[in-house]
């Protein structure tokens, strides 16, 4: 009904809150297409990090009615002064473009800022744009490039900043022009002597495609 009015702006206040997980998965791609294909600005209010990661371009984080952070999705999710980066389910979202498929290994290769990334096979044409979601708990750090590892995605990175949160350290890495969050133990931080500005290697154990 709202679309029939040909609106200049769509306002959505937790539109999927009353739906179960299956129905949400069915409707999220439609909302993404709505935003991309109709080019209608969308103001979307939600408590769901998954919905934010899949739909948002610009993110405003509210606490007690006040905006505490605002900026691009990727940059705002990785800010260490924002609670989302400390959450157990903290994520980084990267834009990517499909550049090829390795059918013999059931893998898809995508281009990210300044590099390549391997994903489980997805049925998308070369040149397709998508978003990759990386859980901070799936990122580990090495001082030297691993020579024998089952992890396919090992990227050179620079430590941008880090902060200890009890037994855990939240590390913000810079991979070329993209931020990347890693959650590691405080003990690992001390043993590796991690400091701001250090050159390291980010080992990304898992990732998922959002669209």
């Amino acid at each position: 009904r709202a679309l029939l009015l040909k609106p200049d702006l769509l306002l959505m206040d937790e539109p999927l809150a009353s739906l179960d997980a299956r129905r949400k998965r069915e409707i999220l791609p439609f909302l993404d297409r709505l935003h991309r294909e109709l080019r209608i600005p969308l103001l979307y209010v939600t408590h769901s990090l998954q919905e934010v990661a899949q739909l948002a371009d610009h993110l405003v984080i509210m606490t007690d009615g006040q905006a505490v952070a605002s900026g691009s999705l990727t940059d705002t999710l990785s800010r260490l002064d924002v609670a989302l980066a400390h959450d157990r389910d903290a994520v980084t979202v990267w834009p990517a473009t499909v550049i090829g498929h390795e059918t013999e290994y059931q893998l898809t290769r995508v281009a990210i800022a300044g590099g390549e990334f391997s994903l489980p096979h997805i049925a998308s044409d070369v040149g397709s744009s998508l978003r990759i979601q990386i859980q901070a708990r799936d990122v580990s750090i090495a001082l030297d490039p691993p020579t024998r590892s089952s992890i396919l995605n090992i990227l050179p990175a620079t430590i941008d900043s880090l902060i200890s949160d009890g037994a855990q350290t939240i590390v913000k890495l810079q991979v070329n022009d993209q931020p990347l969050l890693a959650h590691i133990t405080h003990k690992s931080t001390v043993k590796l002597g991690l400091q701001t500005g250090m050159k390291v290697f980010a080992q990304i154990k898992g990732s998922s495609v959002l669209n």
Side-chain angles (χ1 to χ4, degrees):
R1 288 199 300 267
L3 291 175
L4 287 173
L5 297 174
K6 297 182 179 180
D8 295 322
L9 174 69
L10 279 175
L11 306 179
M12 292 189 174
D13 188 358
E14 301 208 54
L16 307 184
S18 61
L19 301 180
D20 59 36
R22 180 180 175 184
R23 295 289 178 244
K24 286 182 180 182
R25 287 194 298 270
E26 292 174 352
I27 293 177
L28 272 171
F30 168 75
L31 294 177
D32 184 48
R33 285 184 56 203
L34 177 73
H35 172 52
R36 288 186 289 107
E37 295 180 11
L38 297 186
R39 304 283 184 178
I40 300 174
L42 184 64
L43 183 60
Y44 192 97
V45 179
T46 182
H47 287 88
S48 167
L49 184 56
Q50 186 67 25
E51 293 172 32
V52 167
Q54 185 157 345
L55 299 176
D57 298 315
H58 188 95
L59 177 61
V60 179
I61 299 175
M62 307 286 292
T63 300
D64 297 328
Q66 301 293 320
V68 296
S70 175
S72 71
L73 173 68
T74 300
D75 289 340
T76 307
L77 285 177
S78 62
R79 283 181 51 170
L80 299 193
D81 61 338
V82 173
L84 285 179
H86 299 248
D87 192 271
R88 182 182 180 277
D89 294 320
V91 299
T92 303
V93 176
W94 284 350
T97 304
V98 176
I99 58 174
H101 301 283
E102 296 182 65
T103 53
E104 67 272 32
Y105 298 119
Q106 289 295 295
L107 293 173
T108 293
R109 290 184 297 108
V110 299
I112 57 173
E116 291 188 11
F117 200 90
S118 292
L119 297 166
H121 177 75
I122 53 175
S124 295
D125 296 332
V126 171
S128 299
S129 297
L130 48 82
R131 291 183 181 187
I132 302 170
Q133 177 176 270
I134 302 167
Q135 298 276 351
R137 60 175 179 262
D138 287 337
V139 180
S140 61
I141 296 173
L143 298 184
D144 302 302
T147 56
R148 293 187 175 187
S149 174
S150 63
I151 297 176
L152 295 177
N153 296 306
I154 301 173
L155 304 171
T158 303
I159 296 179
D160 177 272
S161 51
L162 67 169
I163 184 170
S164 291
D165 185 8
Q168 174 181 255
T169 297
I170 300 95
V171 184
K172 179 180 178 181
L173 301 162
Q174 204 69 25
V175 179
N176 294 308
D177 295 327
Q178 298 277 44
L180 175 66
L181 286 180
H183 284 183
I184 63 175
T185 64
H186 180 61
K187 181 177 180 179
S188 294
T189 307
V190 173
K191 289 185 67 176
L192 294 175
L194 300 183
Q195 297 179 12
T196 299
M198 284 182 63
K199 303 293 184 183
V200 295
F201 292 86
Q203 303 179 111
I204 302 172
K205 182 179 181 181
S207 60
S208 57
V209 175
L210 292 170
N211 53 16

